[in-house]
Amino acid sequence: MLGTCFATAQQGNAALSYNRFQYHTYRWQSFHTDAFHIYFPRGYDSLCAFTVRELPGIRSLLKQRMTTELDRSPHIILYPATDQLYETNIGSLESASHTLPTVVLKGNRLVVAYEGSYDALRLQLAEAMTRAVWEEQFESGIREQLKGTILVHHKIPDWCKEGMISWFARGWTIEQEDQLQRSFTQPGFENWQEVIAFQPKLSGTAFCYYLVKRYYPQAVLQLYQQLRKKKDVNRAIRLITKKTLPETLSDCFAFYKERFQAEGSSLLTRTDWDSSIIRLKHPKGALKKLEVSADGKKAAYVIYSNKQRTIYITDLASNETVRLTSYKLPPWFGELSKDVYPVIQWKRDKQELGVIYPAKGNLVLKTYSATGTELDERTLKQVDGVRSVAFFDEHQLLLAAYRKGQSDIVVYDPRKNQYRAITNDRDDDSNPVADQRSGEVFFLSNRQLKKEHHDVSINKDSLYRAQGIFRASNLKQPLVTDTSAYIHWDQPRLLRDGSILATHTRYGQERFAYLNTSGSFKTLLSYQPFSYSSKNNLLHFYASRGDSIYLKTIAADEWLARQDGVPADTVTPWLLDYRSDAALRAKEDSILKAVRMNSEPSFLEGVLKPRNSSELGQQRKDSIYQSLQYDAARIQPYVLQLHSAYFMARVNNDYFINRYQPYQSYQGQFKFPEIGGMVQGGFTDLFEDHHFNIGYRLPAGTEGSDFFVYYQNTKKKTDWGIRYFRKVETLQPDPKRDWKDENGNEYPNSAKVKTHYYELSLHHPLSYYASIDFNTAFRKDRTVFLATEKYSLHFAPVKAAWSINTLSYHYNKLRPTLPMLYQGFNGKAVLDVFAGLQGVAKDAVYGTSIHLQYHQPIYKYITAALSLKGGHSGGKQKLLYNMGGVDHNLTVRTDSSVHFSQDAPYAFQTLVTPLRGFPQNSLFGNQYTLLNADIYFPVFQTLVPIETNFSSINQLQLGVFTDVAYAREGWRAPATGQSRIAYGLSARTLLAGYSIRVDAALPNPYSSKVRWCLSVSQ
């Protein structure tokens, strides 16, 4: 496509660009302080106020835990709901490696979303801040690239990096320990590598907790400091544990295996899962939610797989499965648990399933029959998000919904699209259940105890809120509450007799709690994900491993009867550790306080420090804290703000404007651009809705100057852009060229082509990976003959003007594996239409082309790469497809025996590569087919386990290839075609960010002459 963004020298695994969909249009507002900047939509002031209140405490805590903090003030962007992160990939491409000498100046953008809970928002902020500190400490620098050494953060395994970020942000929580324990007690693991493969982030955080408990409290901090000193993980672990990393991981596995066996309070052990349990096969992916119908005959569940979420219904008797619906997740989502969607729930009296999920910027409610037939579809228009759903009666839904930063329990009538609020306050409310006999609604909530006191930061041991189960009819008298920070209530289910089965974490583990109709409370055994069938009073416990769902069904009365006499109030190792750490902190604080109170200042202190230094320090601290307080008067409308400015000076010999060159203006030769440096600069606004770019190519040899300006608007779903490009190229002298003017005089050899190019482009996404693009452009060329002698003074310039229109379809599902290697599929189909406006025939010229790529690792990272290209041109004039050489060639060779005629019916020409082993002009025509087959062997990353201090050596890849090409001039009578075949060896690596490649090719199976190519391309 002529209007694609300018091409640059290929880099090793530059971050892939995905399409984004923007359905919401907000009026953004901003709140600025010296320490941070907050951006939020108008009407969501409560989110801003909460963030302002929490950030100082979060920053202080992270500085204490990591001993480092952000050097630059972060820009925090608040979205009203988690599904709206589907619309934005702000900052997701900023970690791409750049070629030298690129300088990128970027601000810290932290993107978070309210998901109906302020506690969850606090944790999001803490993790976002931790990640920003981490990336700032391990940021790629120009010095490291010049030196050619491996950057340490590229060598840190993802499980280690993500686990440490989670550890510094939130520590090791009950939820995480329970999740890991269930993985051990279900059909479980044999070693820690299996734990890493199951969930990398969880395994990394668990490893950090093991280091702290097995060695010393500052072990994780020491690991972080060693990584900052450019030591790899193996070396850093050895310094801390005096053992190798494999030995330490083995010890970590033994630590948790012993820890979980010691508790012994799980209802379902591994033996239970292996016997007397229904096993359901499910499509490949992670099971995230399962609900069994009221009669216990159907199971609906959600599978996460390959950035996609799918809902299925399975008949438990026949094991027949029906797929209901699915939707894609954004490819920039790094985790499977970004939000709770889709939310599923069976009706209590009918065999109908309700499903809520995001679609095109809205929340959609669909109802399905037990056989998978869609019965109804509604759009939830008055809410930002939904945390859970239940059925209030036959027609109405009971939702835990949130809007404008407020989470409430509401009754929703889909028939009238009306909401009736049961709660209406700033407290976090969720998980409602309704007693259909009495009409009473029970739900979970964090109720504020002191009206004027806000929640404290994440490092406190107690809350000023009451957490527990509340009834809508009397919020002042909850069924059960707790005020300790580590205690959480969840999963309330209303049993058939009116009693409630829920979970709590009072004893350091998520355990069942039973509240009977008389109001008595009883703690049961540890929690296992379950579903409840009200009609038959059955509990269905489930787990998943591989492609199987393990389902154990038991009557609720029988299961409750099993709990009599079973001690369920024992304290777990997690809570023992928690209390021990809290007691140690309290003891240390009291000692330090006593020392400060009883110690007298030394003589030197009395001389150098004023007596009121403590009071002055406290006043200064109070003034800083006061300046960071929320004040609605300081909120102002968001003004277009430049975010990232960059300077790039790259080796570049290919621009989009070179894809097609006018045949007459260039006098039948395809001008391969000379190597030169393109200086580029640009910036975007904070939300990446407006992109401004400018570039200037430094003159090289006899070439003239090139420059462009470009603006792109991506604020709506359909992106548009405008571009101006001016280019000057010098044609290569060719004494054998026989081109004459209208008077029959032969043109001089010395000539320049001056081009002005104006373009309007449209980009419409079809999915995150597919798009349709349309470009319309006006190109004006002027071939000027240089006055090198008296003879050349009399030749008038050759002028031409063209209208160029391009329609293209793009599909990109390539996924980077190692630098320069990918896995997946990529395709592009293009239709070009040219119309001459000046100096050429007025007939339309069209060209169609297709380009398909498939990359697949064969063994480890040994990768096969296949590429198929084809093109056809028609009309009274044609496109000349010229074949030979490689992309971004540093050793350009042209077959000087080939001279194209002035009378040939060609309007434009283009170069098709790679055809290694053959010079340019070796094969040509208005129709072509090209097949490239390569196999790459990452030498030191796959075959030879040796690592050096130089990334260019470590990233060396050897390859074998075959190129097969065919072309013909279909306008000739008779049309005859020619074919070429080449094979050979290649070597490539990354040097200063550029992919440097050497190819040695034999131009045919019987040739003994090796042809060499050197290029800066993959």
Side-chain angles (χ1 to χ4, degrees):
M1 180 182 61
L2 199 70
T4 56
C5 293
F6 52 88
T8 58
Q10 296 293 322
Q11 304 175 48
N13 278 27
L16 298 178
S17 178
Y18 301 104
N19 301 316
R20 68 171 181 172
F21 295 79
Q22 298 205 72
Y23 298 105
H24 293 83
T25 301
Y26 289 118
R27 297 178 62 183
W28 290 89
Q29 295 186 300
S30 60
F31 183 92
H32 301 281
T33 70
D34 293 336
F36 49 80
H37 311 277
I38 301 174
Y39 306 88
F40 60 97
R42 184 176 182 179
Y44 293 85
D45 302 55
S46 58
L47 298 181
C48 177
F50 177 84
T51 304
V52 172
R53 185 169 64 245
E54 294 296 327
L55 275 178
I58 291 174
R59 295 193 65 171
S60 175
L61 179 65
L62 292 181
K63 183 177 180 180
Q64 175 186 345
R65 289 179 176 175
M66 303 180 72
T67 67
T68 52
E69 60 180 343
L70 283 174
D71 293 333
R72 294 166 291 184
S73 300
H75 298 264
I76 301 167
I77 302 173
L78 299 171
Y79 278 87
T82 53
D83 66 283
Q84 291 177 28
L85 295 180
Y86 290 18
E87 302 180 25
T88 179
N89 58 354
I90 294 174
S92 63
L93 305 181
E94 291 182 352
S95 60
S97 59
H98 299 279
T99 54
L100 285 177
T102 303
V103 176
V104 178
L105 306 175
K106 62 179 185 179
N108 295 320
R109 287 180 295 180
L110 313 181
V111 182
V112 296
Y114 177 66
E115 55 185 33
S117 168
Y118 282 102
D119 288 335
L121 180 59
R122 181 189 298 108
L123 291 176
Q124 277 195 65
L125 289 168
E127 189 156 333
M129 290 288 291
T130 309
R131 189 176 302 278
V133 173
W134 180 283
E135 292 180 354
E136 189 175 80
Q137 293 299 316
F138 295 102
E139 192 173 36
S140 302
I142 299 300
R143 182 177 179 182
E144 286 85 354
Q145 293 189 48
L146 283 170
K147 190 177 178 182
T149 56
I150 300 176
L151 300 183
V152 65
H153 71 286
H154 289 165
K155 299 169 59 179
I156 301 175
D158 283 342
W159 67 267
C160 181
K161 171 188 172 182
E162 295 299 324
M164 290 179 69
I165 290 175
S166 176
W167 169 263
F168 286 129
R170 64 176 69 186
W172 182 243
T173 64
I174 294 175
E175 177 188 14
Q176 292 169 318
E177 173 140 334
D178 282 345
Q179 186 178 0
L180 186 62
Q181 181 180 3
R182 283 193 292 272
S183 302
F184 271 76
T185 55
Q186 296 166 9
F189 304 117
E190 300 298 332
N191 52 59
W192 195 254
Q193 284 70 24
E194 292 183 9
V195 182
I196 294 175
F198 175 70
Q199 194 168 111
K201 184 175 180 178
L202 178 66
S203 68
T205 313
F207 181 70
C208 292
Y209 186 69
Y210 160 75
L211 291 178
V212 167
K213 292 303 168 187
R214 174 64 178 79
Y215 293 96
Y216 49 92
Q218 301 302 318
V220 180
L221 177 60
Q222 288 297 319
L223 176 60
Y224 170 67
Q225 298 289 5
Q226 294 296 335
L227 294 177
R228 289 180 61 206
K229 294 176 181 178
K230 305 297 188 288
K231 292 183 174 64
D232 60 31
V233 176
N234 295 311
R235 176 64 175 163
I237 289 295
R238 193 175 184 87
L239 290 172
I240 294 171
T241 67
K242 311 307 178 186
K243 296 181 180 180
T244 64
L245 179 59
E247 290 174 337
T248 308
L249 293 179
S250 178
D251 291 346
C252 177
F253 182 77
F255 169 81
Y256 282 104
K257 189 173 183 180
E258 180 182 0
R259 181 183 180 94
F260 295 147
Q261 287 178 346
E263 293 185 21
S265 59
S266 176
L267 166 69
L268 301 172
T269 65
R270 184 169 181 175
T271 303
D272 294 324
W273 287 115
D274 290 338
S275 61
S276 303
I277 293 182
I278 301 174
R279 292 186 61 185
L280 306 176
K281 291 289 185 180
H282 68 78
K284 184 178 180 181
L287 174 68
K288 303 304 289 187
K289 181 71 173 177
L290 184 144
E291 291 289 341
V292 179
S293 60
D295 60 2
K297 296 181 179 180
K298 302 282 186 177
Y301 52 91
V302 179
I303 298 294
Y304 291 8
S305 64
N306 194 25
K307 306 289 186 180
Q308 179 172 287
R309 298 183 176 180
T310 309
I311 304 102
Y312 298 91
I313 291 180
T314 295
D315 188 297
L316 296 181
S318 64
N319 206 6
E320 294 181 357
T321 300
V322 178
R323 178 180 177 275
L324 301 187
T325 187
S326 66
Y327 64 94
K328 293 284 187 181
L329 286 179
W332 52 84
F333 271 21
E335 298 179 49
L336 292 176
S337 56
K338 276 286 185 182
D339 57 46
V340 300
Y341 302 112
V343 181
I344 60 175
Q345 185 63 52
W346 290 95
K347 286 188 176 181
R348 301 187 89 179
D349 299 324
K350 288 187 177 181
Q351 294 296 89
E352 294 180 1
L353 179 71
V355 178
I356 297 177
Y357 67 94
K360 296 183 178 181
N362 295 308
L363 286 180
V364 174
L365 166 64
K366 287 188 177 182
T367 306
Y368 294 90
S369 68
T371 59
T373 304
E374 183 178 330
L375 303 176
D376 188 32
E377 179 178 343
R378 305 278 178 173
T379 299
L380 307 181
K381 295 183 178 180
Q382 301 179 38
V383 295
D384 292 329
V386 170
R387 298 179 65 187
S388 60
V389 59
F391 280 90
F392 186 71
D393 54 32
E394 183 179 349
H395 300 291
Q396 297 183 101
L397 292 172
L398 191 61
L399 303 177
Y402 54 93
R403 176 176 170 81
K404 299 290 186 181
Q406 178 174 312
S407 176
D408 289 310
I409 307 301
V410 298
V411 176
Y412 171 64
D413 189 337
R415 299 166 300 175
K416 303 177 182 179
N417 197 28
Q418 291 181 349
Y419 296 84
R420 175 171 60 87
I422 292 180
T423 64
N424 186 16
D425 49 47
R426 291 291 183 186
D427 296 311
D428 291 342
D429 304 321
S430 65
N431 297 89
V433 292
D435 188 341
Q436 292 187 337
R437 299 173 305 175
S438 63
E440 183 66 273
V441 175
F442 303 91
F443 60 93
L444 302 180
S445 182
N446 289 353
R447 296 275 120 183
Q448 189 169 312
L449 295 180
K450 296 184 178 181
K451 191 172 184 180
E452 301 299 328
H453 193 90
H454 298 294
D455 200 354
V456 293
S457 194
I458 59 176
N459 61 328
K460 299 298 182 181
D461 295 330
S462 61
L463 299 175
Y464 289 90
R465 292 175 178 270
Q467 303 181 70
I469 302 176
F470 292 75
R471 57 165 65 90
S473 60
N474 190 353
L475 295 178
K476 294 183 178 180
Q477 294 182 354
L479 293 180
V480 59
T481 59
D482 289 283
T483 57
S484 296
Y486 65 87
I487 301 178
H488 301 279
W489 287 81
D490 202 2
Q491 303 290 324
R493 298 294 179 103
L494 197 64
L495 302 183
R496 188 167 59 181
D497 61 357
S499 58
I500 295 176
L501 188 65
T503 68
H504 67 84
T505 58
R506 282 184 175 179
Y507 302 105
Q509 182 187 46
E510 191 170 18
R511 294 180 180 175
F512 283 107
Y514 176 69
L515 288 79
N516 63 20
T517 53
S518 63
S520 62
F521 170 82
K522 181 180 180 181
T523 297
L524 307 178
L525 294 178
S526 62
Y527 169 70
Q528 175 66 40
F530 75 105
S531 177
Y532 175 66
S533 298
S534 58
K535 186 173 293 185
N536 298 323
N537 198 31
L538 297 176
L539 294 172
H540 310 272
F541 299 95
Y542 63 88
S544 176
R545 178 70 73 238
D547 61 350
S548 296
I549 298 175
Y550 296 80
L551 192 66
K552 186 175 182 65
T553 301
I554 186 172
D557 295 337
E558 178 186 347
W559 182 79
L560 291 171
R562 284 190 187 183
Q563 318 310 315
D564 294 336
V566 178
D569 57 353
T570 56
V571 175
T572 64
W574 184 96
L575 188 55
L576 292 174
D577 293 342
Y578 181 89
R579 291 174 177 174
S580 175
D581 294 341
L584 181 61
R585 288 196 302 270
K587 183 177 180 180
E588 291 174 348
D589 291 342
S590 63
I591 293 174
L592 291 175
K593 183 178 180 181
V595 169
R596 286 193 297 267
M597 293 180 61
N598 299 327
S599 62
E600 296 183 0
S602 65
F603 173 78
L604 191 59
E605 278 186 300
V607 174
L608 299 179
K609 291 177 62 177
R611 291 185 179 180
N612 61 343
S613 59
S614 299
E615 291 79 2
L616 292 175
Q618 185 62 43
Q619 291 176 7
R620 184 164 55 252
K621 184 177 180 180
D622 292 342
S623 64
I624 294 174
Y625 182 78
Q626 188 66 31
S627 67
L628 300 179
Q629 294 304 296
Y630 175 76
D631 183 359
R634 297 167 61 182
I635 295 176
Q636 52 188 284
Y638 168 73
V639 179
L640 186 66
Q641 178 178 341
L642 304 184
H643 165 64
S644 59
Y646 53 84
F647 164 81
M648 289 180 281
R650 292 177 174 173
V651 174
N652 190 336
N653 66 341
D654 189 18
Y655 314 111
F656 68 91
I657 200 171
N658 287 317
R659 180 172 177 262
Y660 286 120
Q661 296 176 1
Y663 185 79
Q664 295 292 332
S665 297
Y666 280 73
Q667 299 197 336
Q669 62 172 293
F670 183 85
K671 179 63 171 64
F672 198 94
E674 297 181 7
I675 290 294
M678 172 62 80
V679 180
Q680 303 170 22
F683 55 86
T684 71
D685 69 314
L686 188 73
F687 295 93
E688 296 186 5
D689 292 334
H690 305 274
H691 304 255
F692 303 88
N693 291 275
I694 188 169
Y696 182 82
R697 186 174 189 266
L698 299 176
T702 58
E703 297 292 340
S705 60
D706 305 336
F707 72 89
F708 70 88
V709 291
Y710 176 52
Y711 167 75
Q712 186 180 29
N713 186 300
T714 59
K715 193 172 184 178
K716 303 292 184 180
K717 180 180 178 181
T718 300
D719 306 333
W720 61 272
I722 54 176
R723 178 187 287 112
Y724 169 71
F725 200 116
R726 180 185 181 275
K727 183 174 184 61
V728 179
E729 283 193 306
T730 302
L731 300 183
Q732 296 292 340
D734 185 1
K736 296 182 180 180
R737 184 171 57 237
D738 184 21
W739 284 54
K740 300 176 181 179
D741 65 5
E742 63 273 10
N743 298 321
N745 299 317
E746 187 175 331
Y747 284 119
N749 269 322
S750 298
K752 280 190 175 183
V753 181
K754 299 182 178 181
T755 302
H756 297 271
Y757 182 86
Y758 310 85
E759 181 192 72
L760 171 66
S761 61
L762 299 175
H763 171 84
H764 182 77
L766 302 176
S767 70
Y768 295 116
Y769 309 97
S771 64
I772 292 179
D773 293 76
F774 176 74
N775 304 75
T776 181
F778 173 76
R779 174 170 181 155
K780 187 174 183 179
D781 296 284
R782 186 168 177 262
T783 305
V784 180
F785 300 96
L786 305 181
T788 58
E789 55 186 341
K790 185 177 180 180
Y791 172 77
S792 61
L793 288 173
H794 305 288
F795 288 87
V798 176
K799 299 180 180 180
W802 291 88
S803 171
I804 306 171
N805 300 278
T806 302
L807 180 65
S808 60
Y809 170 81
H810 297 258
Y811 182 83
N812 183 15
K813 207 66 182 292
L814 286 179
R815 180 177 62 85
T817 53
L818 290 179
M820 302 177 289
L821 292 180
Y822 297 88
Q823 179 180 3
F825 175 79
N826 182 27
K828 178 172 66 175
V830 181
L831 171 64
D832 296 296
V833 179
F834 307 83
L837 303 177
Q838 179 185 0
V840 292
K842 302 302 188 291
D843 299 313
V845 181
Y846 74 88
T848 59
S849 62
I850 188 170
H851 183 193
L852 305 176
Q853 287 183 297
Y854 178 71
H855 298 249
Q856 178 60 45
I858 302 173
Y859 174 72
K860 294 185 177 180
Y861 289 111
I862 298 176
T863 302
L866 300 177
S867 173
L868 177 64
K869 297 180 182 179
H872 169 80
S873 175
K876 289 188 176 181
Q877 291 186 302
K878 320 289 183 184
L879 299 181
L880 173 62
Y881 298 109
N882 193 327
M883 306 178 72
V886 295
D887 293 321
H888 308 284
N889 203 342
L890 301 179
T891 55
V892 180
R893 294 183 178 90
T894 304
D895 189 343
S896 58
S897 64
V898 177
H899 303 276
F900 295 104
S901 170
Q902 187 176 7
D903 298 327
Y906 291 119
F908 273 77
Q909 56 191 337
T910 187
L911 183 64
V912 179
T913 56
L915 182 56
R916 290 157 285 196
F918 296 94
Q920 185 177 320
N921 294 352
S922 295
L923 202 61
F924 52 85
N926 66 306
Q927 300 168 358
Y928 81 93
T929 302
L930 174 63
L931 174 65
N932 308 115
D934 297 74
I935 298 179
Y936 298 106
F937 300 85
V939 179
F940 299 108
Q941 295 162 307
T942 299
L943 302 178
V944 183
I946 297 177
E947 186 173 309
T948 72
N949 291 327
F950 298 94
S951 60
S952 58
I953 296 178
N954 297 327
Q955 295 171 347
L956 176 65
Q957 297 176 9
L958 302 180
V960 295
F961 66 83
T962 298
D963 298 337
V964 181
Y966 172 83
R968 74 168 190 163
E969 293 183 309
W971 52 273
R972 292 186 182 275
T976 58
Q978 292 183 326
S979 62
R980 298 285 188 273
I981 184 171
Y983 63 95
L985 304 175
S986 64
R988 63 183 185 178
T989 188
L990 287 176
L991 181 61
Y994 290 96
S995 176
I996 305 298
R997 180 186 182 108
V998 178
D999 294 281
L1002 294 175
N1004 61 69
Y1006 308 104
S1007 174
S1008 60
K1009 185 177 180 180
V1010 177
R1011 296 185 181 272
W1012 297 85
C1013 294
L1014 176 63
S1015 60
V1016 285
S1017 66
Q1018 296 187 27

